[in-house]
Amino acid sequence: MRIVVAGGTGVVGRYVVAALRARGYEPAVLSRATGVDLVSGAGLDAALVGAETVVDVGNVTTSSRSAAVSFFDRTGRNLAAAAERAGVRHLVTLSIVGVDRVRLGYYAGKLRQEAIVREGAVPWTILRATQFHEFAGQFLSGIPGPVAVVPTGQVQPVAAREAGEALAGLALGAPMGMAPELAGPQVESLPGMVRRLIAAGGARRRPVLPVYLPGGMSAGGLLPTGPGPRGVQTFEEWLRLR
Ligand SMILES: NC(=O)c1ccc[n+]([C@@H]2O[C@H](COP(=O)([O-])OP(=O)(O)OC[C@H]3O[C@@H](n4cnc5c(N)ncnc54)[C@H](OP(=O)(O)O)[C@@H]3O)[C@@H](O)[C@H]2O)c1
């Protein structure tokens, strides 16, 4: 079975690829580095020839609503249309727990992406996962300046490795629509994760200033609401092994 991982060089994408390889598959990796641009669509049709399953873990790093909506709209449409043309039988897309409850510019883009997948002709699975353990570092790298302003709020982070393994499992199964939400084993505070990452030497040392963010993030909107698979590696364990 030919499986294509769009964004297969990213934080979670490389774990999807590794998990598929561990199960005996040789997925094709699609990113600008491998000559395919999901935004313009350049190289996409050629990359999907013969593909049965596509996993979409492409991403743009932005907090701008317009940039996020533009990226996920264009990449979502390009991928859905190319997958349909190629006769793809299963499109697996990674989304985020709370994306429909928390008002953030980036999440507006993710909601657009979800809608395109749901309305598309290719049978689909959407997995909503919580923030990765890696998210604390990804978040900090987007904040310039001498002080890290971090929204208060609880998260239930999961190892990107475990999210990658979950996606690989879904990719090898039948399309299921909305998959049960994936979360990590423990609830953490986002400022707490950031502080611990800095203390462990995993990010530039600077003061952390927690701020209340209206829009649901500071009010628990990122926590899973129903039952679903749970990763086993805690943030603390991940930090130790990093
Ligand atoms: N980070 C989290 O905590 C978290 C939690 C839950 C869900 N998610 C979701 O997981 C997905 C992946 O996130 P991530 O943090 O793993 O992303 P990431 O590390 O930023 O990786 C992004 C991937 O997308 C590719 N890409 C970006 N622009 C592209 C373009 N125009 N054309 C082709 N490929 C492009 C990148 O490769 P090139 O640069 O080579 O193009 C890279 O492989 C996102 O949809 C995100 O919403 C993330």
Side-chain angles (χ1 to χ4, degrees), residues 96-104 107 111 128 130 154 181 214-217 219-226:
I96 305 173
V97 168
V99 76
D100 51 346
R101 295 189 301 266
V102 174
R103 288 187 304 283
L104 286 177
Y107 285 7
L111 282 176
R128 287 180 175 173
T130 53
Q154 291 184 311
E181 293 179 342
M217 182 164 173
L222 295 180
L223 296 175
T225 52

Side-chain angles (χ1 to χ4, degrees), residues 6-14 30-34 36-40 56-61 71-72 75 94-97 106 110 113 128-135 138:
T9 58
V11 168
V12 70
R14 67 191 65 166
L30 184 162
S31 81
R32 286 168 299 183
T34 64
V36 181
D37 191 329
L38 290 165
V39 173
S40 69
D56 183 8
V57 281
N59 189 40
V60 64
T61 304
F71 178 86
F72 285 110
T75 61
L94 181 60
S95 190
I96 305 173
V97 168
Y106 177 80
K110 294 297 293 179
Q113 179 191 35
R128 287 180 175 173
T130 53
Q131 287 61 47
F132 307 145
H133 295 328
E134 288 83 347
F135 178 74
Q138 290 180 301

Side-chain angles (χ1 to χ4, degrees), residues 5 12-21 27 55 57 160 163-165 167-168:
V5 182
V12 70
R14 67 191 65 166
Y15 288 117
V16 177
V17 170
L20 287 167
R21 284 191 182 138
V55 181
V57 281
E165 285 163 3
L167 283 164

